[in-house]
Amino acid sequence: MARETWLTGITTSGTPHIGNYVGAILPAVKASHDTTRDGFYFLADYHALIKNQDSARLIQSRKEIAASWLALGLNVDHVTFYRQSDVPEIMELTWMLTCLASKGLMNRAHAYKALVQANLEQGGDQADPDRGVTMGLFGYPILMAADILMFKATHVPVGRDQVQHLEMTRDVAQRFNHIYGEHLVLPEAVVDEDTAVLSGLDGRKMSKSYDNTIPLFESAKKLRKSVMRIVTNSQEPGEPKETEGNTVFELYSAFATPEQTAALAQAYADGIGWGDAKQQLFELLDGQLAEPRERYEHLMAHPEEVDAILATGASRARALSQPFLQELRHAVGISV
Ligand code: TRP
């Protein structure tokens, strides 16, 4: 079997929360230790620019996300960890692909479609369907295709909502190969059906857009405060409680061993009070996060260590992207 190349992009917006940790970061960090395959992990800061015009926030988020992944044990000796913007060849490939991508297909990209839909719903007859739509947002899937095709990725782990972008990537790559010869590798989306989607403080899906997250590396004191803010019902201590659909229980079981989960289920049946249940959740989280939190704090205080790792990643990445882009420039007739 040919060697596989896995590629993971991380949009640098927001502060990582425990939902990201369980659903995306932890499985990806684990995968970085699998030396039977090659791995590319990058900070998608060009993507972050699409929705974020606050430059200070962008810098801060990139710092936090890089430090988080490193603190959690991303194996940077094996995989290539870099910033998208340190690989300018991606931009040039984006343009080559833009010239091949059909606009009709892009019209169907869900981030764009959702915005158009919202404009139509709000604006009635007078609505401008493209209100607030930049060319960056519209072309987002093409930039993503360039990220993937540049490093000849064979496997791209994504959430359900991104599967469509992988189809677009394959489509544009096929078109390129048809016109210019076989240069691009067609990637495949890998959707992990089992990864948990966690609930947030208010019981809705944990998401920065709902402002209901528990940040991954906040101090123990703040973490405890966040956990105590989780919304519960008004049942008193002593009353037996449902585990099903209960946020405290759900978060607990995402981090606990099966034995610990069974013990908490028993405590629910026995009528544990919400305060005690939350205290148990806090202790479990804090126990698992204390060590990486220390590494995270160290890295945040020593950004030069993070920058050095990213610089190594960038030079490894460019050792591949520069000659490959040269090959593609030659293929399309930009250079001889
Ligand atoms: N679009 C992805 C997200 O929102 C991030 C991303 C950018 C990405 N480029 C990628 C993911 C390439 C996989 C491959 O999370």
Side-chain angles (χ1 to χ4, degrees), residues 179-223:
I179 298 172
Y180 298 116
E182 290 291 321
H183 295 275
L184 302 177
V185 173
L186 269 50
E188 145 184 348
V190 183
V191 183
D192 188 349
E193 304 287 355
D194 317 321
T195 48
V197 177
L198 296 192
S199 303
L201 299 178
D202 59 0
R204 290 186 291 175
K205 175 186 171 200
M206 188 178 292
S207 161
K208 65 172 187 288
S209 44
Y210 294 146
D211 198 20
N212 64 356
T213 68
I214 299 180
L216 186 54
F217 290 133
E218 57 186 359
S219 66
K221 202 169 150 204
K222 283 198 179 154
L223 177 63

Side-chain angles (χ1 to χ4, degrees), residues 96-134:
M96 291 179 188
L97 301 176
T98 299
C99 295
L100 296 177
S102 94
K103 176 172 179 290
L105 187 62
M106 292 299 130
N107 286 341
R108 295 200 286 276
H110 66 79
Y112 169 65
K113 252 175 64 177
L115 206 51
V116 168
Q117 191 59 32
N119 284 336
L120 293 177
E121 276 163 19
Q122 282 166 18
D125 292 347
Q126 307 295 310
D128 169 8
D130 284 330
R131 204 177 96 129
V133 177
T134 64

Side-chain angles (χ1 to χ4, degrees), residues 286-329:
D286 193 50
Q288 289 185 24
L289 296 177
E291 230 180 74
R293 184 197 294 134
E294 247 176 63
R295 285 195 292 272
Y296 174 81
E297 281 165 2
H298 172 87
L299 291 169
M300 288 302 281
H302 297 87
E304 68 286 355
E305 291 181 23
V306 176
D307 290 346
I309 292 168
L310 289 171
T312 304
S315 65
R316 274 200 247 158
R318 292 198 77 192
L320 299 169
S321 63
Q322 284 177 316
F324 188 44
L325 184 70
Q326 210 38 51
E327 174 189 326
L328 299 177
R329 290 178 126 233

Side-chain angles (χ1 to χ4, degrees), residues 7-11 42 44 47 84 140 143-145 147-148 156-158 161-162 165-166:
L7 177 136
T8 297
I10 311 139
T11 304
F42 66 95
H47 274 101
Q84 185 185 33
Y140 174 112
L143 176 56
M144 184 162 160
D147 293 330
I148 296 168
V156 182
V158 284
D161 60 328
Q162 305 268 323
H165 295 156
L166 266 290

